[in-house]
Coordinates of all heavy atoms in Angstrom, one line a residue:
A1 N 39.6 94.5 90.8 CA 39.8 93.7 92.0 C 39.5 92.2 91.7 O 40.2 91.4 92.2 CB 38.9 94.2 93.1
T2 N 38.5 92.0 90.8 CA 38.2 90.6 90.5 C 39.3 90.0 89.7 O 39.7 88.8 90.0 CB 36.9 90.6 89.7 OG1 35.8 91.2 90.4 CG2 36.5 89.1 89.3
T3 N 39.8 90.7 88.8 CA 40.9 90.1 88.0 C 42.2 89.9 88.8 O 42.8 88.8 88.7 CB 41.3 91.1 86.8 OG1 40.1 91.3 86.0 CG2 42.4 90.5 86.0
T4 N 42.5 90.8 89.7 CA 43.6 90.7 90.6 C 43.5 89.5 91.5 O 44.4 88.7 91.7 CB 43.8 92.0 91.4 OG1 43.9 93.1 90.5 CG2 45.1 91.9 92.3
A5 N 42.3 89.3 92.1 CA 42.1 88.2 93.0 C 42.2 86.8 92.2 O 42.8 85.9 92.7 CB 40.7 88.3 93.6
M6 N 41.6 86.8 91.0 CA 41.7 85.5 90.3 C 43.1 85.2 89.8 O 43.5 84.0 89.9 CB 40.7 85.6 89.1 CG 39.3 85.5 89.5 SD 38.1 85.6 88.1 CE 38.2 83.9 87.5
I7 N 43.9 86.2 89.4 CA 45.2 86.0 89.0 C 46.1 85.6 90.2 O 47.0 84.7 90.1 CB 45.8 87.2 88.2 CG1 45.1 87.4 86.9 CG2 47.3 87.1 88.0 CD1 45.4 88.6 86.1
S8 N 45.9 86.2 91.3 CA 46.6 85.9 92.5 C 46.4 84.4 92.9 O 47.3 83.7 93.3 CB 46.3 86.8 93.7 OG 46.6 88.1 93.3
C9 N 45.2 84.0 92.9 CA 44.8 82.6 93.3 C 45.5 81.7 92.3 O 46.0 80.6 92.6 CB 43.3 82.4 93.3 SG 42.5 83.2 94.7
A10 N 45.5 82.0 91.0 CA 46.0 81.2 90.0 C 47.6 81.1 90.1 O 48.2 80.1 89.9 CB 45.7 81.7 88.6
A11 N 48.2 82.2 90.5 CA 49.6 82.2 90.6 C 50.0 81.3 91.8 O 51.0 80.6 91.8 CB 50.2 83.6 90.8
G12 N 49.2 81.4 92.9 CA 49.5 80.5 94.1 C 49.3 79.0 93.7 O 50.1 78.2 94.1
L13 N 48.3 78.7 92.9 CA 48.1 77.4 92.4 C 49.2 76.9 91.6 O 49.7 75.8 91.7 CB 46.8 77.3 91.7 CG 46.5 76.0 90.9 CD1 46.2 74.9 91.9 CD2 45.5 76.1 89.9
A14 N 49.7 77.8 90.7 CA 50.8 77.4 89.8 C 52.1 77.2 90.6 O 52.8 76.2 90.3 CB 51.0 78.5 88.8
C15 N 52.3 78.0 91.6 CA 53.5 77.8 92.5 C 53.4 76.4 93.2 O 54.4 75.7 93.2 CB 53.6 78.9 93.5 SG 55.0 78.9 94.5
A16 N 52.3 76.1 93.8 CA 52.1 74.8 94.4 C 52.3 73.7 93.5 O 52.9 72.7 93.8 CB 50.8 74.8 95.2
E17 N 51.7 73.8 92.3 CA 51.7 72.7 91.3 C 53.1 72.5 90.8 O 53.6 71.4 90.6 CB 50.8 73.1 90.1 CG 50.6 71.9 89.2 CD 49.6 72.3 88.1 OE1 49.7 73.4 87.6 OE2 48.9 71.4 87.7
N18 N 53.9 73.6 90.6 CA 55.3 73.5 90.1 C 56.1 72.8 91.2 O 57.0 72.0 90.9 CB 55.9 74.8 89.8 CG 55.2 75.4 88.5 OD1 54.6 74.7 87.7 ND2 55.4 76.7 88.4
F19 N 55.9 73.1 92.4 CA 56.6 72.5 93.6 C 56.3 71.0 93.6 O 57.3 70.2 93.7 CB 56.1 73.2 94.9 CG 56.8 72.6 96.1 CD1 58.0 73.1 96.5 CD2 56.2 71.6 96.9 CE1 58.6 72.6 97.6 CE2 56.8 71.1 98.0 CZ 58.0 71.6 98.4
I20 N 55.1 70.6 93.4 CA 54.7 69.2 93.4 C 55.4 68.5 92.2 O 55.9 67.4 92.3 CB 53.2 69.0 93.4 CG1 52.6 69.4 94.7 CG2 52.8 67.6 93.0 CD1 51.1 69.5 94.7
Y21 N 55.3 69.1 91.0 CA 55.9 68.5 89.8 C 57.4 68.3 90.0 O 57.9 67.2 89.6 CB 55.6 69.3 88.6 CG 54.3 69.2 88.0 CD1 53.6 70.3 87.4 CD2 53.6 68.0 88.0 CE1 52.3 70.1 86.9 CE2 52.3 67.8 87.5 CZ 51.7 68.9 86.9 OH 50.5 68.8 86.4
V22 N 58.1 69.3 90.5 CA 59.6 69.2 90.5 C 60.0 68.3 91.7 O 60.9 67.4 91.5 CB 60.2 70.6 90.7 CG1 61.7 70.5 91.0 CG2 60.0 71.3 89.4
F23 N 59.4 68.4 92.9 CA 60.0 67.7 94.0 C 59.3 66.4 94.3 O 60.0 65.5 94.9 CB 59.8 68.6 95.3 CG 60.7 69.8 95.2 CD1 60.2 71.1 95.1 CD2 62.1 69.6 95.3 CE1 61.0 72.2 95.1 CE2 62.9 70.7 95.2 CZ 62.4 72.0 95.1
F24 N 58.1 66.1 93.8 CA 57.5 64.8 94.0 C 57.4 64.0 92.8 O 57.5 62.8 92.8 CB 56.1 65.0 94.6 CG 56.0 65.6 96.0 CD1 55.4 66.8 96.2 CD2 56.7 65.0 97.0 CE1 55.4 67.4 97.5 CE2 56.7 65.5 98.3 CZ 56.0 66.7 98.5
F25 N 57.2 64.6 91.6 CA 57.2 63.8 90.4 C 58.4 64.0 89.5 O 58.4 63.8 88.3 CB 55.9 64.2 89.6 CG 54.6 64.0 90.3 CD1 53.6 65.0 90.2 CD2 54.4 62.8 90.9 CE1 52.4 64.7 90.9 CE2 53.2 62.6 91.6 CZ 52.2 63.6 91.6
G26 N 59.5 64.5 90.1 CA 60.7 64.8 89.3 C 61.4 63.6 88.9 O 61.0 62.4 89.2
S27 N 62.5 63.8 88.1 CA 63.2 62.6 87.5 C 63.9 61.8 88.6 O 64.0 60.6 88.4 CB 64.2 63.1 86.5 OG 65.1 63.9 87.1
A28 N 64.4 62.4 89.6 CA 65.0 61.6 90.7 C 64.1 60.7 91.4 O 64.4 59.5 91.7 CB 65.7 62.5 91.7
N29 N 62.8 61.1 91.6 CA 61.8 60.3 92.2 C 61.3 59.2 91.2 O 61.0 58.1 91.6 CB 60.7 61.1 92.7 CG 61.1 61.9 93.9 OD1 61.9 61.5 94.7 ND2 60.5 63.1 94.0
A30 N 61.3 59.5 89.9 CA 60.8 58.6 88.9 C 61.8 57.4 88.7 O 61.4 56.3 88.4 CB 60.5 59.3 87.6
S31 N 63.1 57.7 89.0 CA 64.1 56.6 88.7 C 64.4 55.9 90.0 O 65.4 55.2 90.1 CB 65.3 57.2 88.1 OG 65.9 58.2 89.0
G32 N 63.6 56.1 91.1 CA 63.9 55.4 92.3 C 64.9 56.1 93.2 O 65.4 55.5 94.2
G33 N 65.3 57.3 92.9 CA 66.2 58.1 93.7 C 67.7 57.8 93.4 O 68.5 58.3 94.1
T34 N 68.0 57.0 92.4 CA 69.4 56.7 92.0 C 70.0 57.8 91.2 O 71.2 57.9 91.1 CB 69.5 55.4 91.3 OG1 68.7 55.4 90.1 CG2 69.0 54.3 92.2
D35 N 69.2 58.5 90.4 CA 69.8 59.6 89.5 C 69.8 60.9 90.3 O 68.8 61.4 90.8 CB 68.8 59.7 88.3 CG 69.4 60.7 87.3 OD1 70.6 61.0 87.4 OD2 68.6 61.2 86.5
N36 N 71.0 61.5 90.4 CA 71.2 62.7 91.2 C 71.2 63.9 90.3 O 71.4 65.0 90.7 CB 72.5 62.7 92.0 CG 72.4 61.7 93.1 OD1 71.3 61.5 93.6 ND2 73.5 61.1 93.5
S37 N 70.9 63.8 89.0 CA 70.9 64.9 88.0 C 69.6 65.7 88.2 O 68.5 65.2 88.3 CB 70.9 64.4 86.6 OG 70.8 65.5 85.7
V38 N 69.7 67.0 88.4 CA 68.6 67.9 88.5 C 68.3 68.7 87.3 O 67.4 69.5 87.3 CB 68.8 68.8 89.7 CG1 68.8 68.1 91.0 CG2 70.0 69.7 89.5
A39 N 69.1 68.4 86.2 CA 68.9 69.2 85.0 C 67.5 69.0 84.4 O 66.9 70.0 84.0 CB 69.9 68.8 84.0
P40 N 66.9 67.8 84.3 CA 65.6 67.7 83.8 C 64.5 68.4 84.6 O 63.6 69.0 84.1 CB 65.3 66.2 83.7 CG 66.6 65.6 83.8 CD 67.5 66.5 84.5
D41 N 64.7 68.4 85.9 CA 63.8 69.0 86.8 C 63.9 70.6 86.6 O 62.8 71.2 86.6 CB 64.0 68.7 88.3 CG 63.8 67.2 88.5 OD1 63.0 66.6 87.8 OD2 64.4 66.7 89.5
L42 N 65.1 71.1 86.6 CA 65.2 72.5 86.4 C 64.7 73.0 85.0 O 64.2 74.1 84.9 CB 66.7 72.9 86.6 CG 67.2 72.8 88.0 CD1 68.7 73.1 88.0 CD2 66.4 73.7 88.9
G43 N 64.9 72.1 84.0 CA 64.4 72.4 82.7 C 62.9 72.5 82.7 O 62.3 73.5 82.1
M44 N 62.2 71.6 83.3 CA 60.8 71.6 83.4 C 60.3 72.8 84.2 O 59.3 73.5 83.9 CB 60.2 70.3 84.0 CG 58.7 70.2 84.0 SD 58.0 70.4 82.4 CE 58.5 68.9 81.5
L45 N 61.0 73.1 85.3 CA 60.6 74.2 86.1 C 60.8 75.5 85.4 O 59.9 76.4 85.5 CB 61.4 74.2 87.4 CG 61.1 75.3 88.4 CD1 59.7 75.1 88.9 CD2 62.1 75.2 89.6
F46 N 61.8 75.6 84.6 CA 62.0 76.8 83.8 C 60.9 77.0 82.7 O 60.4 78.1 82.6 CB 63.4 76.7 83.0 CG 63.6 77.9 82.1 CD1 64.0 79.1 82.6 CD2 63.5 77.7 80.7 CE1 64.2 80.2 81.7 CE2 63.7 78.7 79.8 CZ 64.0 80.0 80.3
L47 N 60.5 75.9 82.1 CA 59.4 76.0 81.1 C 58.1 76.4 81.7 O 57.4 77.2 81.2 CB 59.3 74.7 80.4 CG 60.3 74.3 79.3 CD1 60.1 72.9 78.8 CD2 60.3 75.4 78.2
R48 N 57.9 75.9 82.9 CA 56.6 76.2 83.6 C 56.6 77.6 84.2 O 55.6 78.2 84.4 CB 56.3 75.2 84.7 CG 56.0 73.8 84.1 CD 55.8 72.8 85.2 NE 54.5 72.4 85.5 CZ 53.3 72.4 84.9 NH1 53.3 73.0 83.8 NH2 52.2 71.9 85.4
T49 N 57.8 78.2 84.4 CA 57.9 79.5 85.0 C 57.9 80.6 83.9 O 57.3 81.6 84.0 CB 59.3 79.7 85.7 OG1 59.3 78.7 86.8 CG2 59.4 81.0 86.4
V50 N 58.5 80.3 82.7 CA 58.5 81.2 81.6 C 57.2 81.4 81.0 O 56.8 82.5 80.6 CB 59.6 80.8 80.5 CG1 59.5 81.6 79.3 CG2 61.0 80.8 81.1
F51 N 56.4 80.4 81.0 CA 55.0 80.4 80.4 C 54.0 80.3 81.5 O 53.5 79.2 81.8 CB 54.8 79.3 79.3 CG 55.9 79.3 78.3 CD1 56.8 78.4 78.2 CD2 55.9 80.4 77.3 CE1 57.8 78.4 77.2 CE2 56.8 80.4 76.3 CZ 57.8 79.4 76.3
P52 N 53.6 81.4 82.1 CA 52.7 81.3 83.3 C 51.2 81.0 82.8 O 50.4 82.0 82.7 CB 52.8 82.6 84.0 CG 53.2 83.6 82.9 CD 54.0 82.7 81.9
V53 N 50.9 79.8 82.5 CA 49.6 79.5 81.9 C 48.5 79.7 82.9 O 47.4 80.1 82.5 CB 49.6 78.1 81.3 CG1 49.6 77.0 82.3 CG2 48.5 78.0 80.3
H54 N 48.7 79.4 84.2 CA 47.6 79.5 85.1 C 47.1 81.0 85.3 O 45.9 81.3 85.2 CB 47.9 78.9 86.5 CG 48.0 77.4 86.4 ND1 49.1 76.7 86.4 CD2 47.0 76.5 86.4 CE1 48.8 75.4 86.4 NE2 47.5 75.3 86.4
P55 N 48.0 81.9 85.5 CA 47.6 83.3 85.5 C 46.9 83.8 84.2 O 46.0 84.6 84.2 CB 48.8 84.1 85.9 CG 49.7 83.1 86.6 CD 49.4 81.8 85.9
L56 N 47.4 83.3 83.1 CA 46.8 83.7 81.8 C 45.4 83.2 81.7 O 44.5 83.9 81.3 CB 47.7 83.2 80.6 CG 49.0 83.9 80.4 CD1 49.8 83.2 79.3 CD2 48.8 85.3 80.0
C57 N 45.2 81.9 82.1 CA 43.9 81.4 82.1 C 42.9 82.1 83.0 O 41.8 82.3 82.7 CB 43.9 79.9 82.4 SG 44.7 78.9 81.1
A58 N 43.4 82.5 84.2 CA 42.6 83.2 85.2 C 42.3 84.6 84.7 O 41.1 85.0 84.9 CB 43.4 83.3 86.5
A59 N 43.2 85.2 84.0 CA 42.9 86.5 83.4 C 41.8 86.4 82.3 O 40.9 87.2 82.3 CB 44.1 87.1 82.8
M60 N 41.9 85.3 81.5 CA 40.8 85.1 80.5 C 39.5 84.8 81.2 O 38.4 85.4 80.7 CB 41.2 83.9 79.6 CG 42.4 84.2 78.7 SD 43.0 82.7 77.9 CE 41.7 82.2 76.9
Q61 N 39.5 84.1 82.2 CA 38.2 83.8 82.9 C 37.7 85.0 83.6 O 36.4 85.2 83.7 CB 38.4 82.6 83.9 CG 38.7 81.3 83.3 CD 39.0 80.2 84.3 OE1 39.0 80.5 85.5 NE2 39.3 79.0 83.8
S62 N 38.5 85.8 84.2 CA 38.1 87.0 84.9 C 37.4 88.0 83.9 O 36.4 88.6 84.4 CB 39.2 87.7 85.6 OG 40.1 88.3 84.7
I63 N 37.8 88.0 82.7 CA 37.1 88.9 81.7 C 35.6 88.4 81.6 O 34.7 89.2 81.6 CB 37.8 88.9 80.4 CG1 39.2 89.6 80.5 CG2 37.0 89.6 79.3 CD1 40.1 89.5 79.4
G64 N 35.4 87.1 81.4 CA 34.1 86.6 81.3 C 33.3 86.8 82.6 O 32.1 87.1 82.5
V65 N 33.9 86.6 83.7 CA 33.2 86.8 85.0 C 32.7 88.3 85.2 O 31.6 88.6 85.6 CB 34.0 86.4 86.2 CG1 33.5 86.8 87.5 CG2 34.2 84.8 86.2
I66 N 33.6 89.2 84.8 CA 33.3 90.6 84.9 C 32.2 91.0 83.9 O 31.3 91.7 84.3 CB 34.6 91.5 84.7 CG1 35.5 91.3 85.9 CG2 34.2 92.9 84.5 CD1 36.9 91.9 85.6
R67 N 32.3 90.4 82.7 CA 31.2 90.7 81.8 C 29.8 90.2 82.3 O 28.8 90.9 82.1 CB 31.5 90.1 80.4 CG 32.4 90.8 79.6 CD 32.5 90.2 78.2 NE 33.6 90.8 77.5 CZ 34.3 90.2 76.5 NH1 34.0 89.0 76.2 NH2 35.3 90.8 75.9
K68 N 29.9 89.0 82.9 CA 28.6 88.4 83.3 C 28.0 89.1 84.5 O 26.8 89.3 84.6 CB 28.8 86.9 83.6 CG 27.5 86.2 84.0 CD 27.8 84.7 84.2 CE 26.5 84.0 84.6 NZ 25.7 83.5 83.6
F69 N 28.8 89.3 85.5 CA 28.3 89.8 86.8 C 28.4 91.3 87.1 O 27.6 91.8 87.9 CB 28.9 89.0 87.9 CG 28.6 87.6 87.9 CD1 29.6 86.6 87.6 CD2 27.3 87.1 88.2 CE1 29.3 85.3 87.6 CE2 27.0 85.8 88.2 CZ 28.0 84.8 87.9
L70 N 29.3 92.0 86.4 CA 29.5 93.4 86.7 C 29.1 94.3 85.6 O 28.6 95.4 85.9 CB 31.0 93.6 87.1 CG 31.5 92.9 88.3 CD1 33.0 93.2 88.5 CD2 30.7 93.2 89.6
E71 N 29.3 93.9 84.4 CA 29.0 94.9 83.3 C 27.5 94.8 82.9 O 26.9 95.8 82.5 CB 29.9 94.6 82.1 CG 31.3 95.1 82.3 CD 32.2 94.9 81.1 OE1 31.7 94.3 80.1 OE2 33.3 95.3 81.2
D72 N 26.9 93.6 82.8 CA 25.6 93.4 82.4 C 24.6 93.8 83.5 O 24.6 93.2 84.6 CB 25.3 92.0 82.0 CG 26.0 91.6 80.7 OD1 26.3 92.5 79.9 OD2 26.1 90.4 80.4
P73 N 23.8 94.9 83.3 CA 22.8 95.2 84.3 C 21.7 94.2 84.4 O 21.3 93.6 83.4 CB 22.3 96.6 83.8 CG 22.5 96.6 82.3 CD 23.7 95.7 82.1
P74 N 21.2 93.9 85.6 CA 20.2 92.9 85.7 C 18.9 93.4 85.1 O 18.2 94.3 85.7 CB 20.1 92.7 87.2 CG 20.7 93.9 87.8 CD 21.7 94.4 86.8
T75 N 18.5 93.0 84.0 CA 17.2 93.4 83.3 C 16.4 92.1 83.2 O 16.8 91.0 83.6 CB 17.5 94.0 81.9 OG1 18.1 93.0 81.1 CG2 18.3 95.2 82.0
G76 N 15.2 92.3 82.7 CA 14.3 91.2 82.6 C 14.7 90.2 81.6 O 14.4 89.0 81.7
T77 N 15.4 90.6 80.5 CA 15.8 89.7 79.5 C 17.3 89.8 79.3 O 17.9 90.8 79.5 CB 15.1 90.1 78.1 OG1 15.5 91.4 77.8 CG2 13.6 90.0 78.2
Y78 N 17.9 88.7 78.9 CA 19.3 88.7 78.7 C 19.6 88.3 77.2 O 19.6 87.1 76.9 CB 20.0 87.6 79.6 CG 20.0 88.0 81.0 CD1 19.0 87.4 81.9 CD2 20.9 88.8 81.5 CE1 19.0 87.8 83.2 CE2 20.9 89.2 82.9 CZ 20.0 88.6 83.7 OH 20.0 89.0 85.0
P79 N 19.7 89.3 76.4 CA 19.9 89.0 74.9 C 21.2 88.3 74.7 O 21.3 87.4 73.8 CB 19.8 90.4 74.2 CG 20.1 91.3 75.3 CD 19.6 90.7 76.6
E80 N 22.3 88.8 75.4 CA 23.6 88.1 75.2 C 24.0 87.4 76.5 O 24.7 88.0 77.3 CB 24.6 89.2 74.8 CG 24.4 89.8 73.5 CD 25.6 90.7 73.1 OE1 26.7 90.5 73.5 OE2 25.3 91.6 72.3
R81 N 23.5 86.2 76.6 CA 23.8 85.5 77.8 C 25.2 84.9 77.8 O 25.6 84.2 76.8 CB 22.8 84.4 78.0 CG 22.9 83.6 79.2 CD 21.7 82.8 79.5 NE 21.5 82.9 80.9 CZ 20.3 82.9 81.5 NH1 19.3 82.7 80.8 NH2 20.2 83.1 82.8
I82 N 26.0 85.1 78.8 CA 27.3 84.6 78.9 C 27.2 83.4 79.9 O 27.0 83.6 81.1 CB 28.3 85.6 79.4 CG1 28.4 86.8 78.4 CG2 29.7 85.0 79.6 CD1 29.3 87.9 78.9
G83 N 27.4 82.2 79.4 CA 27.3 81.0 80.2 C 28.7 80.6 80.7 O 29.7 81.2 80.3
V84 N 28.7 79.5 81.5 CA 30.0 79.0 82.0 C 30.9 78.6 80.9 O 32.1 78.8 81.0 CB 29.6 77.9 83.0 CG1 30.9 77.3 83.5 CG2 28.8 78.4 84.2
G85 N 30.4 77.9 79.9 CA 31.2 77.4 78.8 C 31.9 78.6 78.1 O 33.1 78.4 77.7
K86 N 31.3 79.7 77.9 CA 31.9 80.8 77.2 C 33.0 81.4 78.1 O 34.0 82.0 77.6 CB 30.9 81.9 76.9 CG 31.4 82.9 75.9 CD 30.2 83.7 75.4 CE 30.7 84.7 74.3 NZ 29.6 85.5 73.8
I87 N 32.9 81.3 79.4 CA 33.9 81.8 80.4 C 35.1 80.9 80.5 O 36.2 81.3 80.5 CB 33.2 82.1 81.7 CG1 32.2 83.2 81.7 CG2 34.3 82.4 82.8 CD1 31.4 83.4 82.9
V88 N 34.8 79.6 80.6 CA 35.8 78.6 80.9 C 36.5 78.0 79.7 O 37.7 77.6 79.8 CB 35.2 77.6 81.9 CG1 36.3 76.5 82.2 CG2 34.7 78.2 83.2
L89 N 35.7 77.8 78.7 CA 36.2 77.0 77.5 C 37.5 77.5 76.9 O 38.4 76.8 76.6 CB 35.1 76.9 76.4 CG 35.4 75.9 75.3 CD1 35.6 74.5 75.9 CD2 34.3 75.9 74.3
P90 N 37.7 78.8 76.7 CA 39.0 79.3 76.1 C 40.1 79.0 77.0 O 41.2 78.6 76.6 CB 38.8 80.8 76.0 CG 37.3 81.0 75.9 CD 36.7 79.9 76.7
A91 N 40.0 79.1 78.3 CA 41.0 78.8 79.3 C 41.3 77.3 79.3 O 42.5 76.9 79.4 CB 40.7 79.3 80.7
I92 N 40.3 76.5 79.1 CA 40.5 75.0 79.1 C 41.3 74.7 77.8 O 42.3 73.8 77.9 CB 39.2 74.3 79.1 CG1 38.6 74.4 80.5 CG2 39.4 72.8 78.8 CD1 37.2 73.8 80.6
I93 N 41.0 75.3 76.7 CA 41.7 75.0 75.5 C 43.2 75.4 75.6 O 44.1 74.7 75.2 CB 41.0 75.6 74.3 CG1 39.7 75.0 74.0 CG2 41.9 75.6 73.0 CD1 38.8 75.7 73.0
L94 N 43.4 76.6 76.1 CA 44.8 77.1 76.3 C 45.6 76.2 77.3 O 46.7 75.8 77.0 CB 44.8 78.6 76.9 CG 46.1 79.1 77.2 CD1 47.0 79.3 76.0 CD2 46.0 80.4 77.9
H95 N 45.0 75.8 78.4 CA 45.7 75.0 79.4 C 45.9 73.6 78.8 O 47.0 73.1 79.0 CB 44.8 74.9 80.6 CG 45.6 74.4 81.8 ND1 45.9 73.1 82.0 CD2 46.0 75.0 82.9 CE1 46.6 72.9 83.1 NE2 46.7 74.1 83.7
G96 N 45.0 73.1 78.1 CA 45.2 71.7 77.4 C 46.3 71.8 76.4 O 47.1 70.8 76.3
T97 N 46.3 72.8 75.6 CA 47.4 73.0 74.6 C 48.8 73.1 75.3 O 49.8 72.5 74.8 CB 47.1 74.2 73.7 OG1 45.8 74.1 73.1 CG2 48.1 74.3 72.6
F98 N 48.8 73.9 76.3 CA 50.1 74.1 77.1 C 50.5 72.7 77.7 O 51.7 72.4 77.6 CB 49.9 75.1 78.2 CG 51.1 75.3 79.1 CD1 52.1 76.0 78.6 CD2 51.1 74.7 80.3 CE1 53.2 76.2 79.4 CE2 52.2 74.9 81.1 CZ 53.3 75.7 80.7
D99 N 49.6 72.0 78.3 CA 50.0 70.7 78.9 C 50.5 69.7 77.8 O 51.4 68.9 78.0 CB 48.9 70.1 79.7 CG 48.7 70.8 81.0 OD1 49.6 71.5 81.5 OD2 47.6 70.6 81.6
A100 N 49.8 69.7 76.7 CA 50.2 68.8 75.6 C 51.6 69.2 75.1 O 52.4 68.3 74.8 CB 49.2 68.8 74.5
A101 N 51.9 70.4 75.0 CA 53.2 70.9 74.5 C 54.3 70.5 75.5 O 55.3 70.0 75.2 CB 53.2 72.4 74.3
L102 N 54.0 70.6 76.8 CA 54.9 70.3 77.8 C 55.2 68.8 77.8 O 56.3 68.3 78.1 CB 54.5 70.7 79.2 CG 54.8 72.1 79.6 CD1 54.3 72.3 81.1 CD2 56.2 72.4 79.5
M103 N 54.1 68.0 77.6 CA 54.3 66.5 77.5 C 55.2 66.2 76.4 O 56.1 65.3 76.5 CB 53.0 65.8 77.4 CG 52.3 65.6 78.7 SD 50.8 64.5 78.6 CE 50.2 64.6 77.0
C104 N 55.0 66.8 75.2 CA 55.9 66.5 74.1 C 57.3 67.0 74.3 O 58.3 66.3 73.9 CB 55.3 67.2 72.8 SG 53.7 66.5 72.3
I105 N 57.5 68.1 74.9 CA 58.8 68.6 75.2 C 59.6 67.8 76.2 O 60.8 67.6 76.1 CB 58.8 70.1 75.6 CG1 58.4 71.0 74.4 CG2 60.1 70.6 76.2 CD1 58.1 72.4 74.8
S106 N 58.8 67.3 77.2 CA 59.4 66.5 78.3 C 60.0 65.2 77.8 O 60.9 64.6 78.5 CB 58.4 66.3 79.4 OG 57.4 65.4 79.0
V107 N 59.6 64.8 76.7 CA 60.2 63.5 76.1 C 61.7 63.8 75.7 O 62.5 62.9 75.9 CB 59.4 63.1 74.9 CG1 60.1 62.0 74.1 CG2 58.0 62.7 75.3
Y108 N 62.0 65.0 75.3 CA 63.3 65.3 74.8 C 64.2 65.9 75.9 O 65.4 66.1 75.7 CB 63.2 66.3 73.7 CG 62.5 65.7 72.5 CD1 61.2 66.1 72.2 CD2 63.0 64.7 71.8 CE1 60.5 65.6 71.1 CE2 62.4 64.1 70.7 CZ 61.1 64.6 70.4 OH 60.4 64.0 69.3
I109 N 63.7 66.2 77.1 CA 64.5 66.8 78.2 C 65.0 65.7 79.0 O 64.4 64.8 79.4 CB 63.7 67.8 79.0 CG1 63.4 69.0 78.2 CG2 64.5 68.2 80.2 CD1 62.6 70.1 78.9

């Protein structure tokens, strides 16, 4: 249930973010509305749809959340403490790499 909830929230965030990128920050708006070509916008939307990075990051984070709060029984000592960095850092690295790749690709689209 935790993984499903986190992935669902991330998919909703990705949908809203894609909507903003295409319709508000798209190439037609960047050129002042004079360019009627939608090919760059559709290309960017396609790349963001094919690689669902937000749900992947949420799935990675949900594994850490489940390990920390559901699998580890509350005992007096925590030999293997899972901190926020261990939960969030892999997702941050994946998301940053994805955004960097999209920035490089968007130069050529």
Side-chain angles (χ1 to χ4, degrees):
T2 303
T3 302
T4 304
M6 290 181 75
I7 290 174
S8 298
C9 289
L13 169 74
C15 182
E17 189 178 41
N18 291 343
F19 182 82
I20 289 171
Y21 281 144
V22 170
F23 292 112
F24 294 120
F25 299 136
S27 63
N29 291 326
S31 63
T34 58
D35 183 18
N36 290 330
S37 174
V38 294
D41 296 336
L42 291 177
M44 184 58 69
L45 185 61
F46 175 75
L47 287 174
R48 290 177 104 20
T49 303
V50 171
F51 305 109
V53 73
H54 287 106
L56 289 174
C57 290
M60 291 170 63
Q61 290 174 2
S62 72
I63 292 169
V65 168
I66 289 170
R67 279 188 191 153
K68 181 176 178 93
F69 294 110
L70 298 177
E71 288 181 356
D72 288 338
T75 60
T77 61
Y78 291 99
E80 291 186 30
R81 181 166 225 148
I82 299 175
V84 175
K86 196 170 183 180
I87 294 172
V88 178
L89 190 62
I92 290 174
I93 292 171
L94 174 67
H95 197 285
T97 304
F98 177 77
D99 285 343
L102 276 185
M103 279 191 331
C104 292
I105 291 171
S106 69
V107 172
Y108 298 109
I109 292 181

